Amino acid sequence: MQDTGSLQDAYRALLDAAATVAGALDPSPAPPDGEWNADEILAHVSLISAATIAAVADIAAGAHTTYDNRIALDAWTIRHTISHVGGNAGLRDRIQGQAAALCALTAGAALSDTELDTRVPVLLLSHDTLLVDEPMALRDIVTGLTRAELPGHTKQLLALLPERAMTEGRR
């Protein structure tokens, strides 16, 4: 069994940051060169969340699975996801639902410790750099989402805010 409190907190922080960016005076702050805008970040998180849900559901169903984030890095797929869900508000709604689903699937008796310890072939890239290419326990995939992926994208979203909005948000 896995405690999902930290996962819920990480999703909540990401969604709060996304709402703050969406509510900023500049509705579409420009990212630094080579970085994603807010919608692209959220589409990526939605795709990663969906992949995580799929891996968890496969293990719960007794199926073999893999975890590969390349589709969540694909520019066409990201744009298609943004269009398909109707933009920023739709992405935030989707991620909120995905967070609830993932927490439900990994909490309590939904998965046994043995299932959470199941090793899954993992391929993770970031900016064309290979980060992981080896089997990982399912629980470590979820922990990575909680401790690295979601907080990293939360910071990435907040970096889109104009300095004035960030200073006012700290008061």
Side-chain angles (χ1 to χ4, degrees):
M1 291 185 278
Q2 184 150 330
D3 173 27
T4 59
S6 296
L7 181 60
Q8 290 171 336
D9 291 345
Y11 270 113
R12 188 173 11 264
L14 178 112
L15 290 168
D16 287 348
T20 299
V21 171
L25 293 177
D26 180 359
S28 132
D33 287 341
E35 296 292 325
W36 288 326
N37 66 30
D39 288 359
E40 291 165 332
I41 293 166
L42 294 176
H44 168 77
V45 169
S46 174
L47 292 163
I48 288 294
S49 296
T52 307
I53 291 166
V56 169
D58 283 348
I59 296 299
H64 296 285
T65 193
T66 61
Y67 190 82
D68 182 342
N69 76 337
R70 289 178 292 179
I71 195 73
L73 300 171
D74 178 70
W76 183 91
T77 304
I78 288 171
R79 285 191 309 272
H80 179 74
T81 300
I82 294 165
S83 174
H84 186 71
V85 301
N88 191 282
L91 288 163
R92 286 183 281 137
D93 287 345
R94 175 173 280 189
I95 292 167
Q96 185 173 20
Q98 290 171 324
L102 187 55
C103 288
L105 284 169
T106 58
L111 287 176
S112 69
D113 282 333
T114 301
E115 289 167 317
L116 287 167
D117 289 335
T118 300
R119 298 189 60 76
V120 174
V122 174
L123 182 63
L124 298 177
L125 295 143
S126 179
H127 296 285
D128 295 325
T129 300
L130 180 65
L131 301 177
V132 177
D133 185 7
E134 63 185 14
M136 291 176 64
L138 182 62
R139 81 170 66 246
D140 293 338
I141 294 169
V142 175
T143 298
L145 182 69
T146 303
R147 293 186 184 162
E149 185 76 14
L150 295 173
H153 291 304
T154 299
K155 288 177 187 169
Q156 192 178 16
L157 283 165
L158 292 173
L160 296 174
L161 289 172
E163 286 298 317
R164 188 173 129 242
M166 289 184 68
T167 304
E168 289 173 2
R170 290 185 195 144
R171 291 183 195 172

